Amino acid sequence: MKIKEILLVLEEMAPLAYAEDFDNVGLLVGDQNTEATGVLVCHDALENVIDEAITKKCNLVVCFHPILFSGLKKITGKNYVERSIIKAIKNDIAIYAVHTALDNHQNGVNKIFCDALGLKNTKVLIPKQNFIRKLVTYTIPENAEKVRNALFDAGAGNIGNYEDCSFNSKGIGTYMGNENSDPQLGERFEFVETAEIKIEVTFEKYLESKILKTLFSNHAYEEVAYEIYELQNSHQNIGLGMIGEFETPMNEKAFLTAVKQKMEAEGIRHSAFTGKPIKKVAVLGGSGSYAIKNAIMAGADAFLTADLKYHQFYEAENQLLLADIGHFESERYTKNYIVDYLRKKILNFAIILSEENTNPVKYL
């Protein structure tokens, strides 16, 4: 099995198009055409993790955080990033990062967070914007079903919890071909007026080239008439953060105690208690201070995230309990999820969970 075959599975789990624009995801180091010997899954691809990969004969390291985030002008080994990259290259080890591609997935980082806490009825906290497009095309009735079904198979027509969604309307199409045309109906220089079906389907924007290729290969006409629009609708199943509910509310102290235990947090910083029971909880793994207002607007009783600054705790405004449980802690079960996913998809192959603790924050 080549590394590129494993990368296809990783992109099924967390499409790279889901990542934020600022992020650096995908294959960061290595040749995807290399034969894979094993996969080591970690949180951070540090030098000690590369050593672990060498020991365990894994030439693909799948990490959550990208070890290469901002540009490097020199690679001399002067810092932890450069040392990791040098060691990986010297030992022919590829590095692949998922980061916000998995953050934004409905089954990704924040769903894992919610599941660890036992939250139910979960939904995305900050739905992704400008991610949905609509295709409009026209064809003869005899060709409509073929075109529709092919577009569905290519990924079009998925809306929330529904699939194979389209809108179809009847109309009259007209055309006249020139000397270079080869019309499906009629002859060159003949004015043709025929019944047509207008088909409208939505799709995620990263699928556009696939959708158009499918349209062209399944359409009856020599010249395919189509339009693509960018929609303002939010994508309710893709985005950052998540919100869910406990079946039974609990008081704030009991809630934080449960969070500390379930997320294996060594310490939790939090805002002042509001005195209200905790039932509805918003979460955002990693640095999530920008989502405090979103959590309040969503009616959360508590918001769990990490990397909060001093003044940001004031933003709770006594409307919710704001808690910083630690960056690593809020994402700690992500690598377990990746391992489980790969093991289900790739059988009889070494998929190994890293034993290295890469949390840089220590507690006294």
Side-chain angles (χ1 to χ4, degrees):
M1 176 182 290
K2 293 191 182 296
I3 285 176
K4 64 182 178 182
E5 296 175 69
I6 300 171
L7 302 191
L8 291 175
V9 177
L10 287 165
E11 290 188 33
E12 286 177 6
M13 178 191 73
L16 298 182
Y18 286 13
E20 295 298 305
D21 293 339
F22 64 80
D23 206 2
N24 189 31
V25 294
L27 187 63
L28 307 182
V29 175
D31 181 358
Q32 66 175 355
N33 291 309
T34 301
E35 197 71 23
T37 60
V39 181
L40 182 70
V41 180
C42 66
H43 204 78
D44 303 275
L46 304 181
E47 192 175 5
N48 59 329
V49 173
I50 303 301
D51 285 331
E52 183 183 12
I54 295 168
T55 300
K56 295 178 178 176
K57 296 179 170 51
C58 296
N59 65 346
L60 173 60
V61 171
V62 177
C63 53
F64 178 63
H65 290 137
I67 186 69
L68 280 174
F69 194 76
S70 52
L72 293 178
K73 293 186 177 180
K74 298 177 182 178
I75 306 180
T76 60
K78 68 181 179 180
N79 59 43
Y80 76 97
V81 173
E82 294 179 11
R83 289 191 295 273
S84 297
I85 298 304
I86 289 172
K87 182 162 286 190
I89 292 172
K90 279 185 175 181
N91 290 277
D92 294 322
I93 292 174
I95 302 176
Y96 183 98
V98 295
H99 206 210
T100 57
L102 193 56
D103 274 313
N104 276 312
H105 197 285
Q106 63 178 335
N107 294 319
V109 175
N110 296 295
K111 183 62 164 65
I112 298 164
F113 197 165
C114 287
D115 289 346
L117 296 173
L119 295 170
K120 308 295 182 184
N121 305 320
T122 56
K123 62 180 182 179
V124 172
L125 180 64
I126 309 174
K128 201 165 183 63
Q129 305 292 320
N130 303 317
F131 201 72
I132 304 174
R133 291 184 178 170
K134 182 169 76 168
L135 168 72
V136 179
T137 190
Y138 312 82
T139 190
I140 54 176
E142 296 85 350
N143 182 229
E145 184 176 357
K146 179 183 178 182
V147 169
R148 252 197 325 267
N149 290 339
L151 292 172
F152 294 155
D153 289 342
N158 294 323
I159 302 175
N161 296 319
Y162 297 86
E163 57 185 35
D164 294 357
C165 302
S166 69
F167 185 80
N168 305 268
S169 50
K170 296 179 180 179
I172 301 297
T174 65
Y175 59 84
M176 182 170 67
N178 61 22
E179 68 275 9
N180 297 315
S181 66
D182 183 19
Q184 173 75 15
L185 300 175
E187 303 293 335
R188 295 185 182 94
F189 305 110
E190 178 187 358
F191 179 79
V192 176
E193 184 174 357
T194 184
E196 287 190 331
I197 301 293
K198 178 182 180 182
I199 302 171
E200 302 178 55
V201 290
T202 59
F203 61 91
E204 295 173 3
K205 68 177 183 180
Y206 75 97
L207 292 171
E208 182 169 327
S209 61
K210 182 180 181 182
I211 294 293
L212 288 179
K213 183 178 179 180
T214 299
L215 174 65
F216 298 151
S217 61
N218 287 276
H219 204 286
Y221 285 171
E222 179 187 20
E223 292 287 346
V224 181
Y226 71 94
E227 304 150 34
I228 290 179
Y229 302 95
E230 184 174 286
L231 303 183
Q232 297 302 310
N233 307 54
S234 301
H235 197 307
Q236 299 301 317
N237 286 337
I238 301 174
L240 293 166
M242 194 157 277
I243 188 164
E245 297 177 333
F246 288 120
E247 290 182 359
T248 305
M250 63 181 83
N251 67 51
E252 291 165 298
K253 187 173 182 180
F255 166 69
L256 291 179
T257 300
V259 170
K260 185 176 180 181
Q261 178 185 13
K262 291 179 178 179
M263 303 306 294
E264 300 179 34
E266 294 190 47
I268 295 179
R269 300 185 302 142
H270 64 86
S271 61
F273 285 165
T274 65
K276 298 183 291 186
I278 304 296
K279 181 174 175 63
K280 199 171 186 180
V281 179
V283 306
L284 200 156
S287 303
S289 60
Y290 58 87
I292 294 173
K293 289 183 173 59
N294 299 87
I296 292 172
M297 289 177 61
D301 302 312
F303 178 41
L304 303 177
T305 189
D307 301 341
L308 296 177
K309 296 180 180 180
Y310 176 87
H311 290 94
Q312 289 169 337
F313 284 96
Y314 287 126
E315 295 179 31
E317 295 279 8
N318 204 42
Q319 296 182 67
L320 84 176
L321 176 65
L322 186 58
D324 182 334
I325 73 167
H327 194 123
F328 178 88
E329 289 79 3
S330 68
E331 301 167 339
R332 71 158 56 250
Y333 300 119
T334 301
K335 63 181 181 180
N336 303 71
Y337 173 85
I338 297 171
V339 166
D340 290 343
Y341 187 94
L342 290 177
R343 285 176 177 170
K344 289 175 184 175
K345 296 288 184 176
I346 305 173
L347 304 178
N348 303 315
F349 192 80
I351 312 291
I352 300 171
L353 179 66
S354 173
E355 296 178 28
E356 295 292 325
N357 183 347
T358 58
N359 186 359
V361 180
K362 308 300 177 184
Y363 299 84
L364 187 62

